[in-house]
Amino acid sequence: MMKIAIVNRYFPPSKASTGDLAREFADQIAEVIPSADVVVISTDAEYKGGWSDGKTIKTEVIRTPSYYDGPNQLLRFTSGLIEGRQLAKKAFHEADLVISMTNPPLINLWMGREAKRANKPLIEWTLDIYPLALHTSGRLSSRNPFYKWLKAQVSLHPPHYHLFLGSGQQHKVQESMGYVTPYSIYPCGFKQKPPKSTLPKWKHTDHKDAIWIGYVGNIGEAHSLDALGRFCKKLPSHIQMVFSSYGAKSLKLKKLLKDQENIHWVNSMPDSELLHLDVQLVSLLPAWTHVSVPSKAVSSISLGIPILFIGEKASDTWQMFHKAGWHLPEDFHDEVFEQVLQGFTSEEILHKQEIASNLSAAIKDQIDTSIADLKTFIENYFHPR
């Protein structure tokens, strides 16, 4: 029996969104390739912040040690390199084929090498592009010899197949890394629409006629604290904003907005409560365009909730979902902000909700097509015609 390993640093019960993505993906692979034995290779790391959907784990899970999750960037980077090497070695020892996500950072450095050494196929599901993210975050200059070496090494050992989050990301990898591999587009974050919950506590009855915007997820280095802060401070009283967030900039934003009466904070927001939102806010700093693609946009659209996107129009988020959303540039001015607010009418929100619901079916079709293409690649690799 063919054995397939799916690799990610985090896996439930660790409360990381990528852990839930890995679990969902493992279940999907096991369903479409029932003849394969699917195993998850992860670490014992606990994610600080976030939440897990708590669903049943159906696959075997093998965990390797994690080492450091503190604030020291050098220790985190070093720990990530060690963990990535361990995960890669374990995965190729256990399985005939490895599907790797991109956490810990630079795990692709080790995955490519181990695939070549073991003479086994590697598939990468690119959630973030490394080592480009190290340059984008400001940790390493593009002229840094170590950065150049990392980039050359990763380019030297590309995966046999790629799953990209969008076509813009695919072009970014091709242009920046200099290799072309077979691929398919596999958006991450798709959610099945659950029954709508009763009125959640955060949706106060004294604001029942207000427009409710939500931000659910990470506020980290790929997001603009300044843009989110300016946006929230400019909101009129008939628009209420609720955050269920975590990440490096979440607490800073909460302190920045502490005096805003129409800003609310909750620890977690189940999918059934998401359906009480009118709009979901999604952001991405311009420098991170294509390096990361926010999964919360896919989650929102798949639930029939339109988005307000603060970022570049060239991003995959806006290219895929512009018909079901509103746009603000990261450096938006008052005039542009007011124009967007004028579009926040009950009729327009309802119209974009309908578009989002239609796009949800298209996302599901894209995911199904991508998985079918991946299955064909795997079958042809092991049983060439």
Side-chain angles (χ1 to χ4, degrees), residues 30 102 237 277 282 292 312 372:
T102 49
S237 58
L277 296 172
V282 179
S292 291
E312 293 286 291

Side-chain angles (χ1 to χ4, degrees), residues 110-156:
W110 306 115
M111 281 292 174
R113 290 181 167 202
E114 283 300 311
K116 183 178 181 180
R117 183 195 63 78
N119 193 28
K120 294 178 181 179
L122 168 65
I123 296 166
E124 180 180 297
W125 185 13
T126 308
L127 272 65
D128 300 293
I129 304 174
Y130 282 97
L132 268 64
L134 297 176
H135 167 56
T136 305
S137 64
R139 292 178 190 147
L140 290 176
S141 164
S142 61
R143 296 186 297 274
N144 184 296
F146 182 50
Y147 174 79
K148 290 181 178 180
W149 180 83
L150 288 172
K151 192 173 176 183
Q153 289 299 305
V154 172
S155 298
L156 193 62

Side-chain angles (χ1 to χ4, degrees), residues 21-22 24-29 124-127 161-167 169 183-190 293 298 320 363-364 366-372 374:
L21 290 173
E24 292 169 1
F25 188 72
D27 291 347
Q28 194 168 25
I29 293 297
E124 180 180 297
W125 185 13
T126 308
L127 272 65
Y161 194 91
H162 250 119
L163 294 172
F164 292 112
L165 304 185
S167 58
Q169 188 188 63
Y183 73 92
S184 55
I185 304 299
Y186 186 90
C188 81
F190 182 85
V293 181
V298 176
M320 289 188 290
I363 298 171
K364 183 63 169 63
Q366 176 63 56
I367 290 172
D368 291 344
T369 299
S370 181
I371 288 293
L374 176 61

Side-chain angles (χ1 to χ4, degrees), residues 10-21 45-54 191 215-220 243-251 266-271 295-296:
Y10 297 108
F11 197 76
S14 181
K15 295 181 178 180
S17 59
T18 60
D20 283 336
L21 290 173
E46 289 291 331
Y47 190 77
K48 296 179 180 179
W51 48 83
S52 176
D53 59 22
K191 293 179 178 290
Y215 188 105
V216 181
N218 183 39
I219 305 178
F243 282 91
S244 180
S245 60
Y246 55 91
K249 297 179 182 178
S250 181
L251 185 59
V266 295
N267 291 329
S268 63
M269 190 180 297
D271 293 349
S295 62
K296 64 175 67 69

